[in-house]
Amino acid sequence: NEKLENEKNVILLEKSRAWSNFYLILSGSLLLTIAFVYIFFTFKRRKESQLRESVNKLIDYEKQIADNMKMLKANEIWIRKTTKQMADTSDELAKKEYQLALLRAKTEETIALKKDTEKLERTLHDLKDQISSLSKKKVQIIAMNEQIMKQTSLIERLQVWGPGDPLIAESEWAQFSELMNEHFDNFSKKLEVAFPDLTTHDVRICNLIRLGISNETIAKLTNCKYESLLTKRTRIKKLRMHIDGDITLEDILQKIE
């Protein structure tokens, strides 16, 4: 009896250490998640600031192009008017020469304005491409944010899930193993390598046990009766893992590193 009591105390001590390690790992994962979310939102704000600056430059360039086009049209009208006046007033050579010089100056100014306009149009095109690229990145960032929030909340929801809460959707269950790999050092992968006979449903139950969720809650989450869950636990241990003896399924899962 004294030996059994000592073994029981050792097992309880190992369980206590395992839970302490679990809480440390969970705390570290939460801190990493918070740091990643902070970096992500900082990057997002920087991209949005760049997008706003590009849009403001685009508006300024469009306004400048519009002003240049107005001036260009005015110059073209002036050129046509001056050319007609030169044809009608052939007796005033000095005036024509003055007007011709002025016409040449306006023509050169018009050519320069055309070149500036073409340059601004190219710059405008480049800015539109940049804005389009930034908009796509913004959509991707939003999608990544939603995915991160969704994945982060799934484990938290499972850990605090109660009978009155909605069941987990099958699309979320599909991501459950990946989340366990991310938060618990590739636990699901190591589990499947150690025990290749486990089915997908068996792995899901083992992941829930690894999170410390009670049998009653696991039965409701997996939509089965409590007695059926106990039978499944025994089948997993003996038929899938090929382990006999008094060791519990919780102890087996805790030993997976």
Side-chain angles (χ1 to χ4, degrees):
N1 291 334
E2 183 177 357
K3 181 180 180 182
L4 290 175
E5 186 65 25
N6 290 334
E7 291 178 351
K8 181 178 179 182
N9 291 333
V10 171
I11 292 173
L12 291 175
L13 181 58
E14 290 178 351
K15 284 186 177 181
S16 175
R17 290 176 179 173
W19 278 108
S20 298
N21 293 333
F22 169 75
Y23 287 126
L24 287 174
I25 294 172
L26 182 60
S27 300
S29 300
L30 290 175
L31 289 175
L32 288 174
T33 301
I34 293 171
F36 179 79
V37 170
Y38 173 78
I39 294 172
F40 168 77
F41 279 107
T42 302
F43 177 77
K44 179 181 176 183
R45 286 195 297 270
R46 186 180 303 160
K47 288 298 180 182
E48 289 177 344
S49 176
Q50 292 177 355
L51 180 60
R52 285 194 297 271
E53 291 177 0
S54 297
V55 170
N56 291 333
K57 288 181 180 179
L58 176 63
I59 293 172
D60 293 338
Y61 285 139
E62 288 178 342
K63 183 179 179 182
Q64 189 173 353
I65 289 173
D67 293 337
N68 287 346
M69 292 300 294
K70 289 180 180 179
M71 188 176 296
L72 180 62
K73 290 180 180 179
N75 288 340
E76 290 175 348
I77 293 172
W78 186 91
I79 290 172
R80 289 194 296 268
K81 183 179 179 181
T82 304
T83 303
K84 184 178 179 181
Q85 289 176 353
M86 288 178 63
D88 295 338
T89 57
S90 57
D91 57 331
E92 297 182 4
L93 182 58
K95 184 177 181 179
K96 285 183 179 180
E97 289 177 351
Y98 172 78
Q99 289 177 346
L100 181 60
L102 187 60
L103 177 61
R104 288 174 179 172
K106 289 292 183 180
T107 302
E108 292 175 356
E109 183 181 355
T110 300
I111 294 173
L113 285 173
K114 286 183 178 179
K115 291 182 179 179
D116 290 342
T117 301
E118 292 175 355
K119 183 178 179 181
L120 287 173
E121 286 177 346
R122 289 194 296 269
T123 304
L124 178 63
H125 183 268
D126 294 338
L127 281 174
K128 286 182 178 179
D129 291 341
Q130 292 179 8
I131 289 173
S132 177
S133 177
L134 288 172
S135 299
K136 291 179 181 179
K137 289 182 180 179
K138 182 178 180 181
V139 172
Q140 294 174 355
I141 290 171
I142 292 173
M144 289 173 58
N145 183 31
E146 292 176 353
Q147 186 69 16
I148 289 171
M149 297 304 294
K150 184 177 180 180
Q151 291 178 351
T152 302
S153 62
L154 177 58
I155 289 183
E156 294 176 352
R157 283 168 53 201
L158 287 172
Q159 291 175 329
V160 298
W161 192 88
D165 296 336
L167 293 175
I168 307 301
E170 192 61 32
S171 59
E172 294 181 287
W173 280 125
Q175 302 173 354
F176 184 38
S177 293
E178 295 180 4
L179 289 175
M180 292 296 294
N181 288 329
E182 293 176 5
H183 290 276
F184 297 99
D185 192 21
N186 291 320
F187 175 79
S188 293
K189 290 182 180 179
K190 294 177 180 178
L191 179 65
E192 293 173 0
V193 171
F195 306 105
D197 293 337
L198 291 174
T199 65
T200 302
H201 191 68
D202 296 337
V203 173
R204 183 181 300 177
I205 291 175
C206 291
N207 283 331
L208 292 171
I209 294 173
R210 180 63 179 82
L211 284 177
I213 299 175
S214 64
N215 289 330
E216 294 83 355
T217 303
I218 294 175
K220 292 176 181 178
L221 283 169
T222 55
N223 197 23
C224 68
K225 295 182 179 180
Y226 180 76
E227 294 78 10
S228 299
L229 176 64
L230 297 181
T231 302
K232 289 180 180 179
R233 285 173 57 102
T234 302
R235 188 183 299 114
I236 290 171
K237 175 184 171 184
K238 292 184 177 181
L239 301 182
R240 308 294 189 197
M241 295 181 173
H242 308 291
I243 296 176
D244 291 324
D246 296 333
I247 186 172
T248 64
L249 188 55
E250 284 82 359
D251 292 339
I252 296 171
L253 298 177
Q254 288 292 338
K255 292 180 178 179
I256 295 178
E257 298 179 353

